[in-house]
Amino acid sequence: MAAEMAEQPDVLRRILAEGAAGIRTVAGRIAARGPRFVLLTARGTSDNAALYAKYLFEVRLGKPCGLTSMSTTTAYGARPDLRDCLVVAVSQSGGSPDLVASTRAAREAGAITLAVTNNAASALAEAGEFHIDVLAGPERALPATKTYTAELLALYLLVEGLRDSRDHPGPAATRGAGAGPAAEPAVQRLPDLAASVLARHDEVKALAARYRFAERMVLTSRGYGYPTAKEAALKLMETSYIPALSYSGADLLHGPLAMVDNISPVIAIVTEGKGGEALRPVLERLRDRGADLVVVGSRAEVDRAVAGFALPTHGVPEELQPVLEILPLQRLAYEVTLARGQDPDAPRSLAKVTETH
């Protein structure tokens, strides 16, 4: 897990250097088909990447977008009319039977199907009409780290490619080599920014020492940061076995706030942008309750919290910040697990490829 976390800047560079052009081509071909709405299909860590993509599709493209319940197809045999629908299946391994079966069923139902995987030879890649390889390389650790950030960047490039194809219809070659999302300065800076975040081991170790005996954690965010809260909670649970509950800040106020006390830490992911602004009233309520508040993200909010980790997000659009937000939280899960005397590379009862039907 430690080695694969450290690979993430190189993986991001590889996607930008070797994968961006192919993603742009796929985006152009899909845009030419004119899908009216989008469905996303995934499990586990990839489901959190899909939730991130849902925000991108709805905010950046204005496309209605939903997360599917695969059992409607695989268990109940439903066959909805999916003409004019783009179905995106996201999976690191591309091997889970329910993902493969639901993608095949969607294609038979008239959908445009796209598989986003880390395995171009997988059954899911074969099942989809289109495929994007996230180019993360073999991932051996059971907790997924580098494939998650690779999926985020690949999905961002896909949506920006669709957006550009909509705004500038016609062959990509006629728009100039400098056009497109891979040429954006903020995207090009991501690998170096990721490396700078990963280099700050001592800050994360200090947080881990503070919270090694936590019996429960609550994670919250709004907007683009919400998938980060869900993914960080998953990492904490599967490595350290700490019950970690993730909520949208809005949902936290609708009942779960009652369980917040001054003992169990609350980790808030505060993006620089509209999501962070929407979360600020929630942070005030948490402070009023005396919560042990940890902030990841905005420097201003870190300075007002009990503890935190400020991110180098100056000049980084809100929609790209999740690629950086998850990095210290992956490391926190790893360090807390070690501090509790457990092995993050051997979570109990888990397998690398989870086969659900």
Side-chain angles (χ1 to χ4, degrees):
M1 183 178 176
E4 289 170 359
M5 286 190 293
E7 287 180 42
Q8 290 176 104
D10 288 338
V11 171
L12 299 176
R13 289 188 186 96
R14 188 182 309 132
I15 294 169
L16 292 171
E18 302 174 19
I23 294 171
R24 185 179 181 80
T25 298
V26 168
R29 293 175 66 187
I30 291 172
R33 302 272 289 277
R36 294 188 301 107
F37 58 102
V38 183
L39 291 174
L40 293 149
T41 301
R43 296 281 191 204
T45 284
S46 292
D47 197 35
N48 298 325
L51 178 59
Y52 165 73
K54 182 178 187 295
Y55 279 92
L56 290 174
F57 276 111
E58 292 183 344
V59 176
R60 302 290 291 167
L61 283 181
K63 296 284 186 186
C65 186
L67 302 176
T68 65
S69 299
M70 279 175 274
S71 61
T72 61
T73 297
T74 60
Y76 291 94
R79 292 294 183 268
D81 183 352
L82 296 178
R83 288 173 293 180
D84 299 327
C85 178
L86 169 63
V87 172
V88 183
V90 188
S91 169
Q92 289 109 341
S93 69
S96 187
D98 56 352
L99 280 163
V100 176
S102 63
T103 300
R104 286 174 177 159
R107 193 168 179 179
E108 291 169 0
I112 307 161
T113 53
L114 167 65
V116 179
T117 78
N118 193 40
N119 184 357
S122 65
L124 183 60
E126 182 181 348
E129 182 180 356
F130 300 101
H131 176 249
I132 289 174
D133 188 341
V134 302
L135 300 174
E139 188 174 58
R140 295 180 176 86
L142 287 175
T145 55
K146 65 178 183 175
T147 50
Y148 178 70
T149 49
E151 286 172 350
L152 296 187
L153 181 55
L155 289 164
Y156 170 81
L157 292 172
L158 168 69
V159 171
E160 291 304 290
L162 290 167
R163 190 166 180 259
D164 192 60
S165 295
R166 178 197 65 189
D167 296 340
H168 304 91
T174 67
R175 297 198 293 274
E184 294 176 7
V187 177
Q188 297 295 341
R189 290 171 54 216
L190 274 182
D192 289 342
L193 291 173
S196 72
V197 170
L198 289 168
R200 293 159 59 187
H201 296 165
D202 290 346
E203 292 179 57
V204 181
K205 283 185 178 180
L207 287 175
R210 180 183 178 91
Y211 297 115
R212 60 179 294 191
F213 297 116
E215 296 183 1
R216 181 187 69 205
M217 292 188 182
V218 175
L219 294 97
T220 188
S221 190
R222 293 290 305 268
Y224 286 109
Y226 179 41
T228 306
K230 291 178 68 67
E231 174 60 12
L234 176 60
K235 285 293 154 287
L236 284 161
M237 287 188 287
E238 68 182 352
T239 56
S240 69
Y241 318 139
I242 296 174
L245 309 174
S246 59
Y247 297 97
S248 156
D251 287 334
L252 185 63
L253 297 183
H254 284 265
L257 183 68
M259 72 176 172
V260 172
D261 53 32
N262 61 356
I263 299 173
S264 300
V266 178
I267 301 176
I269 296 91
V270 186
T271 60
E272 294 281 2
K274 293 180 179 178
E277 293 170 7
L279 189 63
R280 286 192 175 92
V282 182
L283 300 178
E284 291 298 333
R285 292 285 299 277
L286 289 168
R287 281 189 281 263
D288 289 344
R289 289 189 60 82
D292 187 350
L293 180 62
V294 184
V295 168
V296 173
S298 165
R299 163 57 71 184
E301 292 298 337
V302 168
D303 290 343
R304 298 185 65 197
V306 172
F309 190 103
L311 291 169
T313 53
H314 179 70
V316 178
E318 183 178 1
E319 60 268 18
L320 279 173
Q321 291 175 35
V323 179
L324 302 176
E325 290 167 350
I326 192 59
L327 301 177
L329 293 164
Q330 290 173 345
R331 188 80 194 189
L332 179 64
Y334 176 84
E335 296 291 353
V336 166
T337 304
L338 292 180
R340 290 164 70 94
Q342 295 154 197
D343 183 356
D345 287 331
R348 62 195 181 205
S349 303
L350 295 180
K352 186 59 182 170
V353 179
T354 303
E355 295 192 355
T356 46
H357 296 269

